[in-house]
Amino acid sequence: MTNAAAATPVPTEKTLADLTEGEVLAQIFPRLPQADTELVGPGDDAAVLSVTDGRFVVTCDMMIQGPDFRLAWSTPHDLGWKAAATNLSDVAAMGARPTALVVAIAAPPSTPISVILGIADGLRDGCAALAPGCGVVGGDLSASDALTLSITAFGDLEGRSPVLRSGAAAGDIVAHAGRLGDAGIGLGLLFRLGVDEHGVPSRELADTLKASRPEVVAAQLAPVPPIHLGAVAALAGASAMLDVSDGLAIDAGRLARASGVGIDFESATLGAQPELALNGGEDHGLLATFPPDAPLPEGFRRLGLVTDQAGTVLVDGRPHTQGGWDPYRGWDGAVL
Ligand SMILES: [Mg+2]
């Protein structure tokens, strides 16, 4: 008896080790979003961008397999999307409009090409959804033991002054745009229920969670921060701003110290479980302060007031014990 299945070789997917860098790039380039500001794009030694302002905003953020993501939980598309989202939100937090990304990827040679192409697709879809007109204008490929993405993002101030962390004044309104706590809840669920009995991240268990709690798991793996509201806040006169990456309380403390003020949150504005809103990180919403006489722009919600108690974060006038994410200490939240 012949075995047809055994006679037909199973097509195995090409890995990075099977292809030259040029062959990989030839597959990546057509997937990448083009930047409206691009004068010279990928393919030369460096890109050339146009700017309408004499200043530009630049930032970078890295994502490393292990500390920052697990391939059992995140799809390659999620990784590209999240890498775009986290960098775009830092540009937005300066009051700028994101214009371009430069992407460096290091991966084990055994990485299937579909992983790299999935990341490229996530970058494209993330830019299209969150910052239309922002494109990938260059990058680099290298080999490493851990899959690593390093993104540099550029932004245009369009003639506005940058909104710094240091501009808040006592009496200003504290406001936030975006989700609060959902990404942290999603990560907490993944750490509790997305691992097998040995604590190893499991794709199957993560898929079950994605089906049962899609909102909060997606908020963690592929966040949708309100990037366009950074420029809106700047135009509305925001006095200080930052994106909430490590937790509302931790990031409010950064703004408070930079401005030499205090922040007093009103717990009634923080939802049914204020601790989740205060301690959950990675939602990448925008925390901003506005002068008391300025109407809050649409999309921002009042959370409290700026006080003159330098460097303090209060909730209903009482000190808040900070929790949140620290890359060297891990989760320090009371809840997660
Ligand atoms: Mg930031």
Side-chain angles (χ1 to χ4, degrees):
M1 196 172 98
T2 58
N3 185 331
T8 309
V10 177
T12 52
E13 193 188 346
K14 282 197 160 56
T15 68
L16 292 179
D18 301 322
L19 299 162
T20 66
E21 183 180 18
E23 288 169 336
V24 177
L25 291 175
Q27 293 194 52
I28 292 176
F29 282 164
R31 294 168 180 266
L32 296 178
Q34 193 178 357
D36 289 348
T37 53
E38 177 184 301
L39 300 175
V40 176
D44 212 308
D45 296 290
V48 180
L49 307 177
S50 64
V51 285
T52 59
D53 194 286
R55 305 160 293 184
F56 63 87
V57 169
V58 61
T59 180
C60 87
D61 195 54
M62 291 179 80
M63 287 170 50
I64 315 244
Q65 185 180 355
D68 295 318
F69 64 86
R70 290 129 204 99
L71 284 171
W73 294 347
S74 297
T75 65
H77 191 277
D78 288 340
L79 296 179
W81 180 292
K82 186 163 181 173
T86 55
N87 280 277
L88 296 172
S89 79
D90 277 329
V91 171
M94 300 301 287
R97 182 177 57 84
T99 53
L101 306 178
V102 176
V103 179
I105 300 176
S110 60
T111 304
I113 183 69
S114 62
V115 170
I116 305 300
L117 300 182
I119 291 170
D121 289 345
L123 288 164
R124 178 196 63 217
D125 294 342
C127 283
L130 304 173
C134 179
V136 175
V137 297
D140 193 27
L141 287 175
S142 191
S144 71
D145 291 339
L147 179 58
T148 301
L149 281 79
S150 175
I151 311 265
T152 302
F154 297 86
D156 191 341
L157 287 162
E158 302 175 316
R160 298 179 295 271
S161 293
V163 183
L164 308 180
R165 297 179 178 191
S166 54
D172 284 356
I173 306 293
V174 177
H176 178 269
R179 300 168 77 152
L180 262 183
D182 287 347
I185 295 170
L187 187 61
L189 284 173
L190 285 164
F191 272 126
R192 279 211 313 279
L193 304 174
V195 295
D196 66 18
E197 64 271 29
H198 307 292
V200 177
S202 154
R203 183 170 316 222
E204 198 184 349
L205 293 171
D207 285 346
T208 304
L209 264 181
K210 288 176 190 178
S212 63
R213 299 294 304 277
E215 284 264 298
V216 291
V217 176
Q220 165 58 220
L221 300 180
V224 184
I227 303 300
H228 67 288
L229 291 181
V232 168
L235 286 166
S239 49
M241 183 157 56
L242 84 174
D243 73 315
V244 178
S245 51
D246 295 327
L248 182 63
I250 280 187
D251 287 314
R254 291 177 175 137
L255 191 151
R257 286 190 297 278
S259 293
V261 298
I263 288 185
D264 191 358
F265 289 114
E266 294 145 6
S267 63
T269 68
L270 297 175
Q273 292 175 280
E275 283 302 311
L276 291 176
L278 286 162
N279 290 326
E282 295 197 279
D283 282 308
H284 296 283
L286 293 168
L287 178 66
T289 57
F290 294 90
D293 50 352
L296 287 186
E298 201 170 322
F300 278 86
R301 202 162 54 85
R302 175 187 165 120
L303 296 186
L305 270 178
V306 178
T307 74
D308 58 7
Q309 300 174 59
T312 61
V313 176
L314 308 176
V315 178
D316 300 330
R318 290 188 291 276
H320 176 257
T321 311
Q322 289 191 354
W325 172 256
D326 179 285
Y328 297 108
R329 291 187 301 134
W331 280 101
D332 192 25
V335 180
L336 302 172

